[in-house]
């Protein structure tokens, strides 16, 4: 579904590389988390996938085709500035379709309505984002990401600003959405427990520049509950991952 082949990248103002000959791949339908301490380049990887940044060399493929000259191959939910505050929820959700220009007004209204229903926000299309709770705003932003119609979803620390209880409900909710929608999800987090709860595989950024992502299979099937996290295999992987991250945080 997604493949990096020897991708290198550096920011213009830096004299060091963020990514150096990075290769990895994600299979169709997988839920994969990328973890690493703050500032290690997680969001940079996402910005390269959705072409907000341009790589220096290497290839990025989605469905075996280069992303160059393509549009609409991924839905990106950024870390912050999720919804435009001056637009209603409905107008925010229409945005990806307005950009694509492939739907009539009536089709857009219908799609917004049915997607809001799916994410449990029926009837809220005329509210402003400021009138919603933090968890509801995240769901609305996720709904907008779904409305890009892409099979590849890039979610950048979507729950990091939420309080603990809202966050764990949103994690359960996201797994339900993923199981129903059959999308491929690449999920960034710095929270090891969140990565373990959600993903089939965890990719760890271990060194800088990023030359490889170390892949760990999560030793637990789906569906999952919070109790899955207390299995001894999960606990020992959690400790192993925390150790790796702490070592790396000391290097940054
Ligand atoms: P993460 O998402 O893992 O916290 P980022 O990918 O956002 O990290 O950033 C990685 C590094 O690149 C950080 O040190 C950050 O300061 C730097 N960085 C981010 N954006 C820019 C930019 N536009 N220009 C220069 N450096 C940047
Ligand atoms: Mg980030």
């Amino acid at each position: 579904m997604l493949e990096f082949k020897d991708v290198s990248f550096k920011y213009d103002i830096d004299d060091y590389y963020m990514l150096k000959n990075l290769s990895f791949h994600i299979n169709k339908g997988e839920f994969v988390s990328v973890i690493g301490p703050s500032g290690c380049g997680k969001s940079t990887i996402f910005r390269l996938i959705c072409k907000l940044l341009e790589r220096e060399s290497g290839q990025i493929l989605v469905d075996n085709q280069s992303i160059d000259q393509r549009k609409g191959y991924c839905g990106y939910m950024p870390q912050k500035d999720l919804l435009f505050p001056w637009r209603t929820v409905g107008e925010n959700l229409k945005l990806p379709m307005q950009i694509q220009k492939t739907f009539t007004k009536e089709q857009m209204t219908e799609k917004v309505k049915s997607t809001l229903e799916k994410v449990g926000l029926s009837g809220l299309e005329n509210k402003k984002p400021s009138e919603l709770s933090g968890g509801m705003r995240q769901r609305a932003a996720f709904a907008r990401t779904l409305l890009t119609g892409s099979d590849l979803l890039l979610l950048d620390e979507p729950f990091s600003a939420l309080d603990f209880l809202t966050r764990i409900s949103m994690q359960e909710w996201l797994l339900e959405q993923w199981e129903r929608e059959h999308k491929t999800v690449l999920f960034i987090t710095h929270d090891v427990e969140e990565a373990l709860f959600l993903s089939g595989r965890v990719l760890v950024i271990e060194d800088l520049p990023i030359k490889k992502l170390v892949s760990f299979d999560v030793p637990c099937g789906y569906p999952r509950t919070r109790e899955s996290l207390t299995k001894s295999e999960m606990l020992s992987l959690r400790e192993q991952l925390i150790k790796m991250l702490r070592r790396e945080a000391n290097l940054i």
Side-chain angles (χ1 to χ4, degrees):
M1 182 81 199
L2 170 70
E3 186 169 11
F4 270 52
K5 282 187 180 169
D6 294 321
V7 175
S8 296
F9 171 79
K10 74 188 233 350
Y11 285 103
D12 285 340
I13 57 161
D14 294 335
D15 45 16
Y16 55 88
Y17 279 85
M18 284 303 315
L19 274 65
K20 193 75 192 156
N21 296 325
L22 175 65
S23 299
F24 69 94
H25 75 275
I26 311 287
N27 298 318
K28 206 171 179 57
E30 271 195 299
F31 195 126
V32 176
S33 291
V34 178
I35 60 172
S38 286
C40 71
K42 302 182 295 295
S43 298
T44 302
I45 293 177
F46 273 21
R47 290 185 213 118
L48 286 165
I49 299 172
C50 62
K51 293 196 285 196
L52 290 173
L53 292 172
E54 206 179 320
R55 62 193 185 276
E56 185 185 281
S57 58
Q59 285 293 316
I60 301 177
L61 311 175
V62 171
D63 278 333
N64 297 317
Q65 282 178 45
S66 168
I67 59 169
D68 304 344
Q69 283 100 42
R70 281 176 70 194
K71 285 194 290 191
Y73 54 85
C74 71
Y76 176 43
M77 181 165 160
Q79 201 164 350
K80 48 183 187 191
D81 306 324
L82 293 169
L83 301 168
F84 294 112
W86 60 87
R87 286 185 162 223
T88 63
V89 170
E91 287 162 353
N92 265 289
L93 264 61
K94 277 181 192 161
L95 204 61
M97 296 183 282
Q98 287 167 341
I99 294 168
Q100 287 168 26
K101 298 195 179 102
T102 47
F103 298 101
T104 63
K105 261 193 176 150
E106 291 71 31
Q107 284 172 322
M108 285 197 270
T109 306
E110 190 41 49
K111 277 188 161 278
V112 165
K113 190 166 176 274
S114 62
T115 309
L116 280 175
E117 237 162 66
K118 269 193 210 168
V119 303
L121 296 176
S122 280
L124 296 182
E125 44 269 70
N126 295 322
K127 297 268 187 221
K128 287 279 173 63
S130 59
E131 296 175 85
L132 306 183
S133 70
M136 287 163 124
R137 277 201 293 273
Q138 298 291 325
R139 285 195 234 178
F142 182 77
R144 187 176 64 185
T145 310
L146 281 179
L147 283 167
T148 58
S150 313
D151 288 332
L152 175 62
L153 304 183
L154 308 176
L155 311 180
D156 192 349
E157 305 210 33
F159 307 143
S160 58
L162 301 175
D163 65 85
F164 181 70
L165 289 178
T166 310
R167 188 158 80 230
I168 61 177
S169 315
M170 289 300 295
Q171 290 166 357
E172 287 163 352
W173 176 86
L174 178 62
L175 275 187
E176 283 167 26
Q177 306 293 312
W178 172 68
E179 285 173 358
R180 194 190 59 217
E181 297 283 332
H182 306 292
K183 302 276 187 189
T184 307
V185 176
L186 194 54
F187 186 97
I188 288 180
T189 179
H190 56 254
D191 180 339
V192 171
E193 207 158 84
E194 178 168 79
L196 286 174
F197 180 63
L198 294 172
S199 336
R201 207 147 62 85
V202 179
L203 300 175
V204 187
I205 296 177
E206 208 195 13
D207 54 359
L208 288 178
I210 307 172
K211 294 187 196 120
K212 63 171 189 199
L213 299 174
V214 191
S215 175
F216 293 87
D217 290 328
V218 176
C220 183
Y222 293 99
R224 291 191 187 156
T225 63
R226 296 282 307 165
E227 267 172 30
S228 314
L229 288 170
T230 62
K231 286 170 56 171
S232 64
E233 307 92 281
M234 292 287 258
L235 290 173
S236 62
L237 180 54
R238 189 183 79 162
E239 288 316 304
Q240 190 182 352
L241 295 175
I242 290 172
K243 237 187 234 165
M244 285 176 81
L245 293 188
R246 292 182 84 173
R247 198 168 50 222
E248 196 209 339
N250 288 334
L251 296 176
I252 288 181

